[in-house]
């Protein structure tokens, strides 16, 4: 143990210098948290999973949720403490053409997220199953997701900037194993992450781009060069005889950098581990915020076991992160970033620096400066006409 003093006098009156305490190079677990999982799409399956978690345990219910869906988990992050990350939501749903509740619910509860405004931050939507159909106030339509029909375009990077309205509706098509069957289900799963932007960029031009999965060959002796990674892609790195797969949405992993342009210094990676495998990563020292969400399986960090569906806040010091999968396969999301060290005001779908700026954002929305909202029931032609008649000023 080191003394809190840097020097002391011995019995001879001479000063003995002690080395300063050495900061740990390892990122450890500061705390863990479990957020509520809410039943939706379909509600009845989510309710079933709630009671299953009480009877059979949370980990059993987590495994069933992974198979059948029916819940959403908003991780309401403390923006000041988790800067630059504001919100992380994990969706896992299923739509079945044989479910009578589906047809009743869709008469009053749309299957997706009708047009709504944003200003001042970035949304990242990462599809794991199924997909989404996007339309916005700039006249852009996009289809993206995790299925073959999406051509590997599995991530949407939306910079709200000065202001944008968009709708994201579930791309409901039969799962591959149900294709051609009379009765079918459509599995849907995604993450949505809100990343705060520096004040200088909050009123930048809005934009929506799709990122395509791009397999990268990596070896310790000759890592792939970031210069060879095409724009608008997420490098996918397989290692240790495919025991681990790392998808780099933003940031850098072992010399491989995702090319997405982000004004905020962040990393976002999905890590998939086979049973009894390990994964290591050097987190930049400037990334004082580091968060792990465990989607599937259980992992170990240091001596701490983390079950599925828990959120882990890592210590702010050190660079080395080591993760071990335990009882079976594990699937996690790692977020790390440099805190913005700016005031933050967040309300509804706007993230700014001050409350007056929030009020101005909603006033601009009401005045139609971000265009006017539209019904998700409009055809593409009707929506395009609506956007032309009510253009966004941004």
């Amino acid at each position: 143990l080191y003394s809190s003093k840097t020097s002391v006098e011995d019995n001879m009156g001479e000063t003995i210098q002690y080395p300063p305490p050495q900061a740990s190079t390892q990122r450890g677990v500061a705390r863990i948290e479990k957020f509520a999982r809410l039943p939706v799409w379909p509600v009845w399956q989510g309710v079933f999973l709630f009671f299953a978690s009480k009877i059979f345990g949370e980990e059993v219910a987590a495994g069933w949720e992974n198979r059948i869906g029916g819940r959403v988990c908003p991780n309401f992050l403390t923006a000041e403490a988790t800067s630059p990350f504001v919100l992380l939501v994990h969706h896992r749903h299923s739509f079945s053409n044989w479910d009578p509740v589906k047809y009743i619910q869709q008469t009053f509860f749309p299957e997706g997220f009708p047009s709504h405004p944003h200003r001042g931050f970035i949304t990242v939507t990462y599809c794991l199953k199924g997909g989404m159909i996007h339309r916005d106030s700039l006249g852009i339509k996009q289809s993206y997701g995790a299925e073959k029909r999406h051509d590997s375009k599995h991530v949407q990077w939306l910079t709200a900037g000065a202001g944008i309205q968009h709708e994201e509706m579930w791309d409901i098509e039969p799962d591959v194993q149900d294709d051609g069957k009379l009765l079918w289900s459509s599995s849907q799963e995604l993450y949505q992450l809100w990343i705060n932007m520096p004040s200088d960029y909050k009123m930048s031009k809005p934009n929506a781009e799709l990122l395509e999965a791009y397999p990268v060959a990596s070896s310790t002796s000759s890592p792939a060069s970031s210069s060879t990674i095409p724009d608008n892609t997420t490098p996918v790195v397989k290692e240790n005889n495919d025991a681990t797969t790392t998808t780099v949405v933003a940031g850098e992993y072992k010399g491989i950098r995702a090319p997405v342009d982000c004004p905020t210094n962040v990393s976002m990676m999905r890590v998939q581990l086979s049973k009894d495998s390990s994964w290591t990563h050097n987190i930049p020292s400037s990334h004082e915020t580091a968060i792990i969400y465990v989607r599937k399986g259980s992992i170990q960090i240091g001596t701490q076991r983390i079950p599925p569906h828990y959120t882990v806040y890592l210590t702010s010091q050190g660079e080395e992160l080591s993760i071990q999968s335990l009882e079976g396969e594990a699937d996690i999301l790692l977020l790390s970033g440099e805190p913005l060290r700016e005031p933050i005001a967040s309300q509804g779908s706007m993230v700014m620096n001050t409350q007056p700026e929030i009020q101005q954002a909603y006033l601009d929305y009401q005045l139609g400066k971000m265009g006017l909202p539209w019904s998700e029931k409009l055809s593409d032609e009707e929506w395009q006409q609506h956007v032309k008649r009510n253009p966004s000023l941004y």
Side-chain angles (χ1 to χ4, degrees), residues 239-245 272-275 277:
E239 299 175 286
N240 305 319
N241 296 319
D242 295 347
T244 63
T245 301
Q272 298 162 270
L273 301 92
S274 61
K275 182 180 180 180
S277 61

Side-chain angles (χ1 to χ4, degrees), residues 360-374:
Q360 185 63 52
Y362 278 106
L363 178 60
D364 290 345
Y365 163 63
Q366 292 165 359
L367 292 174
K369 293 185 178 181
M370 303 176 192
L372 294 180
W374 60 90

Side-chain angles (χ1 to χ4, degrees), residues 158-170:
L158 188 150
T159 302
I164 191 172
Q165 291 198 60
H166 72 126
E167 70 172 21
E168 307 291 332
M169 307 303 291
W170 298 109

Side-chain angles (χ1 to χ4, degrees), residues 50 121 126 154 210 258 264 300 317 385:
F50 170 80
F121 65 105
Y126 184 162
H154 64 146
L210 299 184
T264 309
Q300 183 170 309
Q317 302 299 315
Q385 291 173 352

Side-chain angles (χ1 to χ4, degrees), residues 57-74:
E58 291 181 346
E59 294 191 41
V60 171
W64 290 352
E65 180 188 310
N66 185 58
R67 290 194 290 271
I68 68 173
R71 295 200 289 190
V72 60
C73 181

